[in-house]
Structures are given as structure tokens and as C-alpha cells.
Amino acid sequence: MPLANTPTSVPVVVDEDKCIADKGCTVCVDVCPLDVLRISDLTGKAYMKYDECWYCMPCEADCPTNAVTVNIPYLLR
Amino acid sequence: MLERLEKGMDDLRAGLNEVDCDLLVIGGGTAGPMAAYRARKKNPNAKVILLEKANVKRSGAISMGMDGLNNAVIPGHSTPEQYTKEITIANDGICDQAAVYKYAQECYSIIEELDQFGIRFQKDDNGEYDVKKVHHIGTYVLPMPNGDTVKKALYRQLRRARVLISNRYMATRLLTGKSGRAAGAIAVNTRSGEFLVIKAKAVIMCTGAAGRLGLPTSGYMYGTYENPTNSGEGYAMAYHAGAKLANLECFQINPLIKDYNGPACAYVAGPFGGYTANSKNERFIECDYWSGQMMQEFFNELQSGKGPVYLKLNHLHKDTADHIEHILHTVERPSRGRFHEQRGTKYSEQMIEMHISEIGFCSGHSASGVYVDEFARTTVPGLYAAGDMASVPHNYMLGAFTNGAIAGEHAIDFAADVDFEEFDGAAVGIEQERVLAPTKREDGIPPNQIEYKVRRLVNDYLQPPKVTAKYELCQARLAEVREDMEERMMVRDAHELMRSMEVASILDCADMAAHASLYRKESRWGLYHWRTDYPDSSDEEWKCHVLLSKQDGKMACEKKAVQPYIIPIADDEKDAYYKQRITAQA
């Protein structure tokens, strides 16, 4: 059985102009309890790879450049 | 599959390393850091490893902090004897008081220690602790004005005490020796799938609640009350290691803000005059402290046609309501403010709709946990448990800290007197094969679908009221899903591998929830164990613990007598928590 890709709109959004992951920062990836953030090979910026979010906010609170915003997942809003 | 993937984060890599230590602490949330810290303080020469599935800086139930202590026993406000009595009554008599009493005696010194760490506790104008009454009988709730700094303060102490921290390692099985003693654990790196065998003279488990058991009604799998990282590994590992688990049928079910699924925090709002109300603006329970008896009244109100149920603050002065809102939106679950903003709800203007959470195991709020005594010892020698996963009832954050400290100090002394326990080396290979099986398949079912199905079945069949026929159906369906998990689950990277290991814990916990609930043929703890086939409590037959364990490879339950009370409970006191309903409305 092949696997399908079901789209979801992710709650964690990264402002790529502010994100300094391309300069070596990994703070948001490091602190996420669910380990759902990654640095993109294409852009060098952080992004939410897995939609498995507790909307708990360490990624936003600990980001040194205020690049991360945690939204409430659509299904809960 | 392993060799054809490229190198990079989440790519699966083959690997097996081995380390040893005097004490292994599994779980770096609340109890774990305190256990590791106290162990090192007591024996500065000991090698202590703190293993964490996420990152100790921000892991566990208090990832963002906590707004207060819910069970502080502070001289001048309450006594250990009063607290022990209250929790015995709140937990419907099923309480080995020794552990609760010891907690109550020790917790004030932990408050003083946390104060030294830089965590502030609210004081009144006279410099006295500003303790609030939320429980049915006594006064135990103490606000923490800078509660958002708890994890940072803990982390500083761990660094100072030079605890060895291993982040992003998920323990999957405990190792036990030929005598049955704890010998260490097997862990998997959550970003590479590489294995780590940790040999230890003593092991403390602090892996939190089984919070990903039921499915939130929003349908969002990670929108749970508990931090969803807490997927029940401790319960599953303890079970497979032969430890006994207590009163798993005493589920955790909480009154929460609907959809957001976070605490409505009557504990914070209550002392200011906020309360739980029905749709007619009427108060229907006297006490907003979370107990099964209170949840039963909550459930009854929802069924009565007077629902929904709300958190009511809009009768308070706007400044008061805004102040409460500020506390609630800053600490513990700060995204709550964003949720209400989007909904356009202001606490000073509207009542906030509440509902009943999904089920879980969590002794922090109820009583379902790995059985421990007053020294946090499980029934497996050398194996300890503390925090939400250990059986000390209604233990909350301060209980995790206090019992973590007790466990750390006892375990490090235990480790000093023993050598490494020999274990069967084949266990590691067997575990590698089990964990990696989903990586060997080219085709199959992804873990998220298996998890969704398990948790949907939990909601459909296991949520109280508990009906025997539904429970038996659930067991049959869970057995089918287990076959799918064992034969057909497929993962593509290390992240999915972590999820697949979590699914195994969730499924084990679902089976344990069903098994323990069917064994106790009475109703107790209000909604937590309401069996429609046995609607009454029977003290004669069931005023005992139910212990679940693995016997000859299968789940088995037994009764264990409640230890004679240290603090006696009078006949006219024992049902106090059943007298919650307000009958005559003002």
C-alpha cells in the first residue's frame, strides 16, 4: 500500500527574515518537547516538519530573535 | 532499509553503545531532575545519568512553568496529619498513608529548597506564605509569582551538581538481572535510532503520566491535557520489568477548557471568587478541587440538560478577572491567551465553556501509578519511581519534587551497597529486533494511524461510565490492532521510529486500563471508576488496592490490602468528598 501525503496547516510559523538558523542557531529545534521542528536544507531556516504540537511555546519563548510564533492548531480553534 | 538512507537528522543509523553509572534517572521533567540533583548532593562521587526523551531544559509537564503549588503543607496553615487525612478521603479510602504522610512531612523543606533555587512563593503583607483554600477541607494552594522560571532554575542546579544529561534518548525497556533486580535500561536515540545500553546499580523512573491514552474531542492527537510526550513509557516499562502497578482503574479525567483542553484553573480562580457554573449561571459543586467525586457531579450536570458547564469569572470586578486572566495566560499553558483572543472571549465578560478531558493514567491528579512505598521503591529491587507515574495519590508538582528527592537519596544509598547486576545479554538483541522491526518493512501502516485507532477505541469503549460488554469488545479490538502493530507497522525515519515506540506504550496502557477496570467489580472514585454493572461501592470486598502485573507473560490482577491508617478517618468524615453537590440554589 503506498502512503499518501495529507496536508495540514501547521501551528508553528517561523519568520524567515528574523530566523538565524542559517548562522548556526538551533534553539527552537533543541527545546521542543515533541521534536517537531527542523532546519530546512533548502532555506537554512527553521520550520515545522511534523504537525504534532502541544502549543506549549518554548520554541517561541526561547527564540533569540523572536522569529517563532505558535498558533493554536486549527482543529482546536 | 538502514544502509540506503542518507546521513542527516532523522536518518536511521545502526549503532549500539554501552555506558554504566551508579544511578540512572529516566525522565528529566520535574521529579527526575530533583532525584538526580539530590543523589549527587548526597554522594558527590557517584556517577548519575539523567536520560531524557526531549531536552531537560524544556521537558515534561512543567515545560513552561507552573502557576502555583496545589498541595503545600506549610506550618501554620495545615499539618501533615490534616493533609494525609484529606487525601485519604479524596482518594476514597484507597491510600497507603505512609507515602502521603512522608510527602506531607518533607514537602515544606522542598519549598525552602526551591526558594533557594530562585523560585518565589507568594507572601502576604506580613511576610507569611499566602496559602489559599481550594480543597474540600484544608488549605494547601500557594501561588508562584515567577513560576515560569522553574525549569531554568532546575537546569542551573543540574549543571552545578554536574549531573550527566543525555537528551533525546528514549528508554524503551528496563534491564533486570537474574535475581530480578534492576540492572539498567535500553534506550534509543530519537534522531538516529541508535541504541544505548545503560548499566546501572539503581534506576529511578520519572517518565510522567500516560497522557496520550484517550483522544481529545478536538480530534487533534497532540491536543492532550498532559504534555503528549508523556505517552506512558514508565507504565509500560515497569510492567514489562515485572513491577506491580496500582489502581490503574482510577483514571485521570479532568475538567478543562473545551477544545483548548488545558486546565480551567479553578485552583487559581477559586480563591478570587471564581467557580464552576452551569448554563443557568448557578454554582452546582461546593469544591472545585479535582477528584473523581467532583468529576461525577460535573458529568451529571452535563447529562442533566443544565450544561454546558463553565468557568465563571464575569461576576467579579473587572480588575480581578483581568488579574486572573493574566496569571492563567502567562504560566503553565500560556497559549491559552491566544486561544481566547481568537475566540473573542474575555474572562471579565463571558463565562468560559468547559468539558471533560480524555482519560489517562496520572497519580499526580488521581491515583493510577506504578506501586511505590514511602521511599519511592517499586516492587522490583533497585527500581524506583516518582512523580506522575508513581502511585502516591494527588501528588501534583510538589509531590514530584518531594518524592523525586526521596527517591534520589534512597537510590544512591542503595547503589553504594551493591555491585552491577548481571543481566542476560540476549535481552539487548531481542529489544533491538522489536524496536527496529517497523524499519525493516517496505510497506505497511504508519504509527500515527495505529495510534489514532488505539486512542479512538479508548474513547469509544473505555471512557466512563464503564460498561463490561464494551470493555470486552475493546479488548478484542485492541488485540487486532496489536497484531497490526507487531506485523505491519512501518516507519521511514528516526522520528517516526520514536512515535512507533510510543504507540507500543500507549497500546500497553490501553490494555492495562481495560484489564484493571474489569477486575474491580464495584464503583469507586466517582467518575474515575463508575461501573454501570456494579454501581455501588463495596468496602467489604474492594477497600483494597488492585495491583496489576505481568505473570507468565500475561496481565494479571490481585488485591492488596490498604495498610492500616496512621491517621484515623472517622466514619462521618470518610464520605466528605461525596458531599459536593449544592442542592438548594440561592
Side-chain angles (χ1 to χ4, degrees), chain B residues 297-317:
Chain B
E297 295 299 350
F298 196 114
F299 178 90
N300 292 346
E301 200 70 5
L302 288 175
Q303 297 297 309
S304 75
K306 288 188 196 157
V309 165
Y310 298 90
L311 172 67
K312 182 168 166 57
L313 300 179
N314 60 352
H315 57 293
L316 302 175
H317 190 280

Side-chain angles (χ1 to χ4, degrees), chain A residues 1 35 51 54-55 60 62, chain B residues 58 191 220 333 335 443:
Chain A
M1 280 182 296
D35 206 14
D51 182 9
W54 194 42
Y55 37 102
E60 178 178 319
D62 295 350
Chain B
R58 287 293 198 182
R191 287 171 173 174
Y220 189 67
R333 300 303 313 276
S335 61
D443 193 8

Side-chain angles (χ1 to χ4, degrees), chain B residues 71-182:
Chain B
N71 49 349
V73 184
I74 295 179
H77 296 274
S78 60
T79 64
E81 290 75 20
Q82 283 172 333
Y83 178 78
T84 304
K85 181 184 272 195
E86 175 121 23
I87 296 307
T88 305
I89 297 168
N91 205 43
D92 221 341
I94 311 296
C95 179
D96 282 355
Q97 290 184 335
V100 176
Y101 193 48
K102 185 166 177 74
Y103 157 78
Q105 289 169 313
E106 305 266 324
C107 72
Y108 184 64
S109 71
I110 298 288
I111 294 172
E112 291 179 313
E113 182 158 33
L114 294 172
D115 193 78
Q116 283 165 16
F117 290 177
I119 299 160
R120 291 208 319 278
F121 300 95
Q122 194 160 298
K123 292 189 173 156
D124 62 19
D125 295 340
N126 300 322
E128 302 288 330
Y129 283 119
D130 190 10
V131 195
K132 316 277 191 187
K133 183 175 185 298
V134 173
H135 290 61
H136 208 36
I137 305 166
T139 304
Y140 312 104
V141 172
L142 178 59
M144 290 160 57
N146 67 346
D148 55 327
T149 63
V150 177
K151 285 295 282 186
K152 284 204 166 85
L154 280 178
Y155 192 68
R156 273 197 305 273
Q157 299 303 324
L158 289 173
R159 295 294 299 270
R160 197 166 291 168
R162 293 201 304 277
V163 169
L164 303 167
I165 297 170
S166 288
N167 289 318
R168 304 292 173 193
Y169 273 97
M170 175 177 172
T172 64
R173 283 290 185 268
L174 297 167
L175 291 163
T176 48
K178 294 189 174 70
S179 72
R181 211 182 93 202

Side-chain angles (χ1 to χ4, degrees), chain B residues 558-573:
Chain B
E558 63 193 286
K559 292 182 178 181
K560 181 180 187 292
V562 173
Q563 285 170 19
Y565 289 159
I566 302 165
I567 315 298
I569 311 289
D571 268 354
D572 61 348
E573 293 172 318

